Amino acid sequence: MDDTPLKSEKQRRTETDLAALRLQVKNTSKVKVYLAIITIITIISPLICARIMSNTERFTDFAAERFHLATANKPGRQAALQNVNRWLTSKDTPFQSGYANLWWVDAQLVNTVAKNAQQAGGQAVETQYWSHQLSFTDLSDGTTRNIAQLVSVMDGVASPVGSPSILPLPADGSNDQQNYVPDDKARLDQAPTLADVVNAWAKAYVGKDPSALTVLVGDPDTQHAYQPANVGVFKSASVDWLIGVDNEGNPVPKSSDTDHKYGAASLTVQFTPYAKAGELSEDERRQSMSVSSTMSIGVLIANPSSGSARIVDWNASGVLSQLKPYANAIPKDQLSVFSGATDNEGAAATDAPSVESGQN
């Protein structure tokens, strides 16, 4: 018996079923497909978000822990920031145009002094001196300025010491502050001519003339130049202390029969800040002429006990180990030249500046 008609009938039924299936799939709404996809995403997205949040919290905790570890052993950060902020916002600020973006950079332990406590048992109290480096943006020209604040830490209490130090430009405070004195180091007597050396250097450093500062340093390398702080017109300076050091800034014993080749000193410099940028009214100009700013700075003096003394390096007050002859030198082609390199522009001319001898 021939079953060809039966096979043809089966094929027709199969083809009919396939055609019906295709039609059903074709008629399925795309919206339903989209809804299915959205449903799936809605189910799994909380799991993904939870994992991302967990990783973010873990990373944040890790970063906070690392920052805490980095600063925990460098006390006085908040005290330094507060004192520098107070100094920058006072009416006598050296930066009359204002500042922005003050941030803490790092800190360095510069000295540790142990003294007997005034308490029963005679326990020794250790005082640490930390030099905190900070930076901010000077709004007069947009440059980044680097400063340092010395902080003493005793029994966990941090106190700012002296005024902030205005550090050299990179190539192309309150009345109840303490005075830092290295009591554990041997002092040097000041030569009669040292006052004139300090006078001339401080005037050039706070001013804006690189040539004047370069000549005073006396660097034997004629390709070197030195950048002034460019903050104002010099008024006066005082030598707070002077100790004998080697050419690496390490203190050396005082000797009565030997002239020390180098000495480290702390200077307190007063100056009239340059007036803020832009045109000033007569009242603003008079007010700017009456402003007087103060800063502290540490210097390295070559031949401090002779008539040929010269200041050959400078850094934050209290930082001795980083003082090295001609360490602030920069190539002449990287020198920043300030417009109108005179010390009379934007500030009042003062009487003949004086240098006072402080404790030594």
Side-chain angles (χ1 to χ4, degrees):
M1 180 177 179
D2 187 6
D3 59 352
T4 301
L6 294 177
K7 290 183 179 180
S8 298
E9 183 65 23
K10 290 180 180 179
Q11 289 177 355
R12 283 195 298 271
R13 289 177 182 176
T14 301
E15 291 175 357
T16 300
D17 292 341
L18 289 175
L21 181 61
R22 292 192 190 98
L23 182 60
Q24 185 179 1
V25 172
K26 183 178 179 180
N27 292 334
T28 300
S29 174
K30 293 183 179 179
V31 175
K32 293 181 180 179
V33 176
Y34 293 151
L35 288 175
I37 294 174
I38 293 174
T39 301
I40 295 173
I41 293 176
T42 303
I43 294 173
I44 66 174
S45 59
L47 300 176
I48 297 174
C49 291
R51 185 59 180 268
I52 293 175
M53 291 179 63
S54 176
N55 291 338
T56 302
E57 290 176 358
R58 193 178 299 114
F59 176 78
T60 302
D61 293 341
F62 174 77
E65 181 181 357
R66 297 300 299 176
F67 179 78
H68 176 73
L69 291 174
T71 58
N73 296 326
K74 298 179 179 180
R77 174 175 175 267
Q78 191 62 30
L81 281 168
Q82 289 178 348
N83 193 62
V84 169
N85 181 68
R86 182 166 54 243
W87 180 69
L88 288 172
T89 55
S90 69
K91 68 180 183 64
D92 296 329
T93 175
F95 303 94
Q96 293 288 301
S97 296
Y99 77 98
N101 307 323
L102 174 64
W103 67 90
W104 180 87
V105 178
D106 200 1
Q108 175 187 7
L109 179 64
V110 298
N111 199 13
T112 301
V113 180
K115 295 183 179 179
N116 290 329
Q118 301 298 322
Q119 59 184 22
Q123 295 179 350
V125 174
E126 187 177 81
T127 302
Q128 294 182 335
Y129 290 91
W130 289 84
S131 177
H132 289 260
Q133 289 78 49
L134 303 98
S135 295
F136 64 92
T137 302
D138 181 1
L139 295 182
S140 66
D141 55 9
T143 58
T144 298
R145 304 303 299 254
N146 299 314
I147 55 178
Q149 173 66 58
L150 195 64
V151 174
S152 68
V153 180
M154 183 175 66
D155 286 340
V157 178
S159 303
V161 179
S163 301
S165 301
I166 303 176
L167 302 180
L169 283 165
D172 205 47
S174 66
N175 296 328
D176 59 349
Q177 294 172 344
Q178 308 173 38
N179 289 320
Y180 169 69
V181 179
D183 294 328
D184 57 332
K185 306 294 189 299
R187 305 294 189 85
L188 294 182
D189 296 327
Q190 298 181 28
T193 57
L194 184 61
D196 295 332
V197 174
V198 171
N199 180 353
W201 179 87
K203 180 178 181 180
Y205 183 67
V206 300
K208 59 174 66 174
D209 186 0
S211 299
L213 185 60
T214 301
V215 169
L216 289 172
V217 173
D219 191 333
D221 191 333
T222 58
Q223 298 304 311
H224 285 172
Y226 291 82
Q227 193 82 281
N230 185 31
V231 289
V233 178
F234 173 73
K235 294 179 67 176
S236 65
S238 62
V239 180
D240 302 321
W241 47 261
L242 173 65
I243 62 174
V245 297
D246 58 21
N247 60 358
E248 297 292 328
N250 301 311
V252 296
K254 183 177 179 180
S255 176
S256 58
D257 57 354
T258 302
D259 288 337
H260 290 273
K261 188 174 181 181
Y262 292 99
S266 176
L267 310 181
T268 298
V269 182
Q270 288 189 328
F271 56 95
T272 300
Y274 292 131
K276 61 183 179 182
E279 295 185 3
L280 302 178
S281 66
E282 189 61 31
D283 289 342
E284 289 176 326
R285 186 170 295 278
R286 270 198 304 269
Q287 183 178 0
S288 68
M289 293 169 64
S290 65
V291 173
S292 180
S293 291
T294 302
M295 76 165 180
S296 301
I297 192 153
V299 297
L300 181 67
I301 305 174
N303 305 313
S305 303
S306 71
S308 60
R310 287 178 293 108
I311 293 177
V312 295
D313 193 29
W314 46 94
N315 208 318
S317 178
V319 179
L320 303 180
S321 61
Q322 294 183 5
L323 291 173
K324 295 177 177 56
Y326 314 117
N328 277 299
I330 59 174
K332 282 187 175 180
D333 58 0
Q334 295 184 20
L335 191 67
S336 297
V337 180
F338 306 107
S339 60
T342 67
D343 282 342
N344 294 322
E345 180 182 343
T350 61
D351 295 332
S354 61
V355 174
E356 304 167 358
S357 295
Q359 202 174 3
N360 62 49

